[in-house]
Amino acid sequence: MRYRRLNDWLREKYGRKVYKLALQGVTTCPNRDGTVGERGCIFCSEYGSGEFAAFGAVEEQLRRAKARVADKVPPDAGYIAYFQSFTNTYAPVERLRSLFTAAMRPPEVVALSVATRPDCLGEDVLDLLEELRQEKDVWVELGLQTIHPATADYIRRGYSLEVFDEAVKALRRRGVTVVVHQIIGLPGETEEMIWATADYIAHSGAAGVKFHLLHVLRGTDLAAEYEAGRVDVLDMEAYFHLLAGCVERMAPEMVIHRLTGDGAKRDLLAPLWSGDKKRVLNAMHRYFEQNDVQQGRLYREE
């Protein structure tokens, strides 16, 4: 196996096929309500990066999300309740308790996954996550995207690398699994910068990583930059080259949750090749075979 696939790891851990169900809980972010900023990250859509999340009461969201995958799910499948859009620890802790416990209640749900910002993990939230971890597995997904301050400022991330580091340490102390997101192709970043971010993630203490292609969605501030000619996007071959270097820098035990991101086709402006997910993944796996890409090849113990 050229990299440690999430699906394989889930089957090893839970002994069955496990599917992620994208849900919506908190519907704002400190980078939107004026606490940190008002327009969000430059690439973030009106859905808060949750284009595929369900809506409504958690129980109803779960029902609808399961219905969408029912034709390909075996009867004994497990599920991960994934609060995907916006910042899902940015609310009073009792509100979070209500959302998370409702999502974890069905016996077929094996784990809770919470996407959030590292600057939205107060002690009360950490206490809650530790408490919930006694019942089922809990993951927290952090959108680091880059380690480079100039890029972080450009995309309006709104927190420092030190805040990320402290969040990872705090979550690990509570026994919570950490998954980190990196965007490949951010404006102004060289391949060395991209690979430096990957190397940092590999040594951060995270257990998993999600790699995303920078794609431009209609209605975002990144779209305005792209249409003004100030942003270039990667072609497929360039993305595979950069991704391969990131994968090879991951420790062999790091779980690769995703090799590319895809936005809703109705809103995708660029790169258009990314809209055909099956074709992209097939081409990516061929590239990995042809170039003998192997996770861990460039990983170095500190």
Side-chain angles (χ1 to χ4, degrees):
M1 188 62 65
R2 297 199 171 276
Y3 62 93
R4 196 173 188 198
R5 304 171 193 242
L6 175 63
N7 285 340
D8 296 338
W9 178 78
L10 289 171
R11 189 174 286 279
E12 291 169 13
K13 183 173 179 60
Y14 298 109
R16 52 180 163 161
K17 185 72 173 176
V18 177
Y19 292 84
K20 231 175 185 183
L21 302 177
L23 310 173
Q24 185 179 89
V26 179
T27 56
T28 189
C29 168
N31 209 5
R32 289 175 178 260
D33 71 2
T35 303
V36 173
E38 295 181 346
R39 297 187 60 82
C41 293
I42 195 170
F43 50 78
C44 196
S45 73
E46 63 180 308
Y47 304 105
S49 296
E51 282 78 8
F52 305 109
F55 297 91
V58 169
E59 294 83 357
E60 179 62 16
Q61 289 188 57
L62 285 169
R63 186 192 68 78
R64 289 203 302 268
K66 284 191 283 187
R68 282 200 294 270
V69 297
D71 61 338
K72 61 180 180 180
V73 172
D76 65 341
Y79 297 95
I80 298 164
Y82 177 31
F83 286 93
Q84 177 182 20
S85 52
F86 299 101
T87 301
N88 286 286
T89 58
Y90 190 56
V93 73
E94 288 311 312
R95 166 68 174 152
L96 300 179
R97 182 186 300 278
S98 174
L99 290 168
F100 297 162
T101 55
M104 295 172 71
R105 191 170 295 123
E108 65 272 23
V109 172
V110 299
L112 171 74
S113 184
V114 179
T116 191
R117 294 169 56 90
D119 54 353
C120 293
L121 289 166
E123 287 297 316
D124 56 346
V125 174
L126 292 168
D127 288 344
L128 173 62
L129 295 173
E130 184 176 23
E131 175 189 326
L132 296 175
R133 188 187 61 79
Q134 310 306 315
E135 302 175 27
K136 294 182 178 180
D137 291 331
V138 175
W139 308 351
V140 166
E141 301 196 13
L142 301 174
L144 176 64
Q145 320 305 6
T146 180
I147 62 169
H148 304 289
T151 315
D153 289 345
Y154 176 79
I155 64 175
R156 303 196 302 253
R157 191 180 66 191
Y159 65 82
S160 69
L161 190 57
E162 290 74 21
V163 171
F164 167 81
D165 291 338
E166 289 304 314
V168 174
K169 291 174 186 175
L171 289 164
R172 294 189 69 201
R173 284 196 297 267
R174 306 295 185 117
V176 175
T177 298
V178 180
V179 181
V180 181
H181 295 230
Q182 177 180 357
I183 294 178
I184 297 172
L186 289 168
E189 292 207 342
T190 63
E191 65 178 30
E192 289 79 10
M193 294 171 73
I194 291 165
W195 290 338
T197 293
D199 188 66
Y200 196 93
I201 291 171
H203 296 89
S204 67
V209 61
K210 280 186 175 181
F211 296 112
H212 301 267
L213 164 72
L214 179 71
H215 55 265
V216 182
L217 297 180
R218 187 175 286 105
T220 64
D221 287 352
L222 182 62
E225 290 282 279
Y226 174 75
E227 289 168 340
R230 292 190 288 269
V231 170
D232 295 322
V233 294
L234 297 171
D235 63 34
M236 191 185 294
E237 188 81 5
Y239 181 70
F240 293 167
H241 168 70
L242 293 166
L243 175 66
C246 292
V247 169
E248 293 204 322
R249 284 165 170 78
M250 294 298 115
E253 66 272 14
M254 179 80 83
V255 180
I256 309 294
H257 287 238
R258 177 174 286 175
L259 289 171
T260 185
D262 56 327
K265 289 185 182 179
R266 66 181 181 273
D267 295 324
L268 181 65
L269 293 180
L272 293 178
W273 60 262
S274 68
D276 188 343
K277 189 172 183 179
K278 184 176 181 180
R279 172 175 169 262
V280 171
L281 289 175
N282 287 338
M284 184 184 302
H285 291 141
R286 284 196 302 273
Y287 181 94
F288 278 24
E289 289 292 331
Q290 292 166 359
N291 292 275
D292 194 24
V293 176
Q294 188 68 52
Q295 180 176 340
R297 189 197 305 278
L298 299 177
Y299 177 76
R300 299 291 180 267
E301 294 282 356
E302 290 188 336

